[in-house]
Amino acid sequence: MQSRLKKFEEKTGYEFSDESYLEEALTHSSYVREHPRENLRSNERLEYLGDALLDAVVGEILYRRLPDAEEGRLTKLRAAVVCEKTLADISRSLDIGSYLYMGNGEIKQGGRNRESILADAVEALIGAVFLDSSYETVSEFITRLTRNPVEEAISGRLVKDYKSAIQEMLQARGLKAPSYQVAKEEGPDHSKTFFVDLIIDGKVYGSGCGRTKKQAEQNAAREVLERGNS
């Protein structure tokens, strides 16, 4: 286990003083449920902490980088940097999915590639780094992880409204706007995952999941656009 964690630390560029924080950050709730006797703790509390730190650090980065930007633009840019898709991309760059302790049922359902799980793991990792070090250290860690997304957001390449894009495409073809329907919800109230279907003329053309209904709708629209469906 230790060598496994060391390999992951090399990928992140941060070496933990207390590796129990890292173990917790990589422990999904499904693993805890399948191993009730091991007295394990899932990464949900660290996720909560990391989410707050991420907002604060990225907010400060954008505030300093864009001294003339109004609140509305800063808020939109920060939302693009800390959104589920961007965090999932960061997670994939670190190969976090391969290192997660996850229940067999979740693995069989594709949990190691699920964007919501990958995004949550990045936030949990951030929370773990903070508890193991300091605000200054985690700020540097977040700055390094989000360097590319921040640059893309500032340049306008990251902020995308997939729902508007697909609606414009359908209108150009003389078709009705799509509707979105929640197919199911998973998880506790404080950490739900929503699964949404994108429907055109009564037919499901795509689906997406996210930590909010809006996020799931955007992911469903993105899936359709990227597949070229209409």
Side-chain angles (χ1 to χ4, degrees):
M1 181 180 292
Q2 293 303 315
S3 61
R4 181 173 179 270
L5 293 179
K6 287 297 182 186
K7 287 181 180 179
F8 181 72
E9 286 178 327
E10 291 175 5
K11 289 179 177 290
T12 66
Y14 177 82
E15 184 176 351
F16 280 81
S17 298
D18 184 348
E19 288 196 338
S20 66
Y21 288 127
L22 177 55
E23 288 185 6
E24 184 177 333
L26 295 174
T27 302
H28 187 255
S29 57
S30 62
Y31 187 86
V32 175
R33 288 193 297 270
E34 289 189 12
H35 300 79
R37 295 183 179 180
E38 295 184 21
N39 197 28
L40 299 170
R41 203 172 191 174
S42 79
N43 63 8
E44 290 178 349
R45 281 173 55 85
L46 285 176
E47 173 202 335
Y48 159 80
L49 181 59
D51 178 60
L53 290 163
L54 189 62
D55 275 352
V57 173
V58 172
E60 181 183 359
I61 291 170
L62 293 171
Y63 182 87
R64 295 184 183 281
R65 286 285 306 276
L66 302 169
D68 298 322
E70 296 182 354
E71 178 190 2
R73 185 185 178 210
L74 291 173
T75 299
K76 185 176 182 180
L77 291 175
R78 182 180 63 185
V81 174
V82 305
C83 75
E84 183 179 279
K85 180 186 183 303
T86 302
L87 294 182
D89 287 342
I90 292 172
S91 183
R92 291 188 182 98
S93 73
L94 298 174
D95 196 24
I96 287 181
S98 298
Y99 290 88
L100 286 173
Y101 302 107
M102 187 175 290
N104 291 324
E106 189 66 56
I107 292 173
K108 290 176 181 177
Q109 294 177 16
R112 292 198 186 280
N113 295 312
R114 185 174 296 173
E115 290 207 333
S116 59
I117 291 175
L118 295 177
D120 289 348
V122 170
E123 292 176 337
L125 177 62
I126 289 169
V129 170
F130 170 68
L131 292 178
D132 188 65
S133 57
S134 65
Y135 184 83
E136 181 180 358
T137 299
V138 80
S139 179
E140 293 172 355
F141 184 72
I142 292 170
T143 299
R144 180 159 49 83
L145 287 183
T146 62
R147 182 170 288 115
N148 288 338
V150 165
E151 294 302 326
E152 290 180 356
I154 291 174
S155 67
R157 298 193 303 272
L158 192 63
V159 180
K160 294 181 180 179
D161 185 346
Y162 295 102
K163 288 178 65 177
S164 294
I166 197 168
Q167 185 165 333
E168 290 171 4
M169 181 188 74
L170 292 172
Q171 287 177 342
R173 299 181 181 183
L175 300 173
K176 294 181 180 179
S179 61
Y180 299 86
Q181 181 176 322
V182 176
K184 64 177 180 177
E185 301 175 11
E186 289 184 357
D189 288 341
H190 71 279
S191 184
K192 276 189 178 298
T193 297
F194 295 89
F195 296 80
V196 168
D197 291 332
L198 185 152
I199 300 169
I200 302 172
D201 287 333
K203 180 181 177 181
V204 176
Y205 273 77
S207 59
C209 66
R211 285 178 287 181
T212 65
K213 291 179 183 178
K214 289 183 178 180
Q215 214 167 50
E217 290 172 356
Q218 286 285 354
N219 286 335
R222 176 168 64 91
E223 182 197 35
V224 173
L225 286 169
E226 291 180 352
R227 281 208 325 262
N229 285 342
S230 60

